């Protein structure tokens, strides 16, 4: 999974290996906040041992873009068309 990052001289994307452990959900319990050169994962609710940390990959991606970028679609996507 890549995240947009802003470097000293340019904007780019970066691989964030630990982010592969974050699963997509339209009702997430956490969110990823991109800072200048790092990512912060913040949880909004208590996450119990054994529970998943869920983020929303991108609020405005329709199923076609989710399929192309991440390899899946969701039934509850407000923009669900392929």
């Amino acid at each position: 999974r890549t995240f947009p990052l802003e470097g000293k001289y340019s904007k780019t994307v970066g691989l964030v290996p630990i982010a592969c452990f974050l699963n997509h959900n339209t009702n997430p319990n956490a969110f990823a906040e991109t800072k200048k050169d790092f990512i912060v994962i913040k949880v909004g609710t208590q996450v119990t041992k054994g529970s998943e940390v869920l983020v929303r990959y991108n609020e405005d991606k329709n199923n076609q873009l989710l399929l192309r970028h991440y390899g899946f679609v969701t039934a509850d996507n407000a923009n669900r068309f392929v």
Side-chain angles (χ1 to χ4, degrees):
R1 174 150 192 233
T2 61
F3 285 86
L5 299 172
E6 188 173 325
K8 187 174 182 179
Y9 301 106
S10 66
K11 292 183 179 181
T12 186
V13 294
L15 290 175
V16 184
I18 196 71
C20 292
F21 293 110
L22 302 172
N23 286 321
H24 170 81
N25 194 290
T26 54
N27 188 22
N29 59 10
F31 64 95
E33 185 177 320
T34 305
K35 297 293 187 177
K36 189 170 185 168
D37 56 356
F38 60 93
I39 307 293
V40 176
I41 307 300
K42 294 183 178 180
V43 294
T45 61
Q46 184 175 354
V47 179
T48 58
K49 183 178 179 178
S51 297
E52 291 183 276
V53 176
L54 303 168
V55 295
R56 189 173 185 136
Y57 282 7
N58 193 319
E59 294 200 21
D60 60 349
K61 285 199 179 195
N62 58 45
N63 276 341
Q64 181 179 7
L65 292 174
L66 285 174
L67 182 61
R68 185 171 35 176
H69 293 175
Y70 306 112
F72 69 90
V73 298
T74 61
D76 59 347
N77 188 339
N79 303 311
R80 63 175 181 262
F81 61 87
V82 175

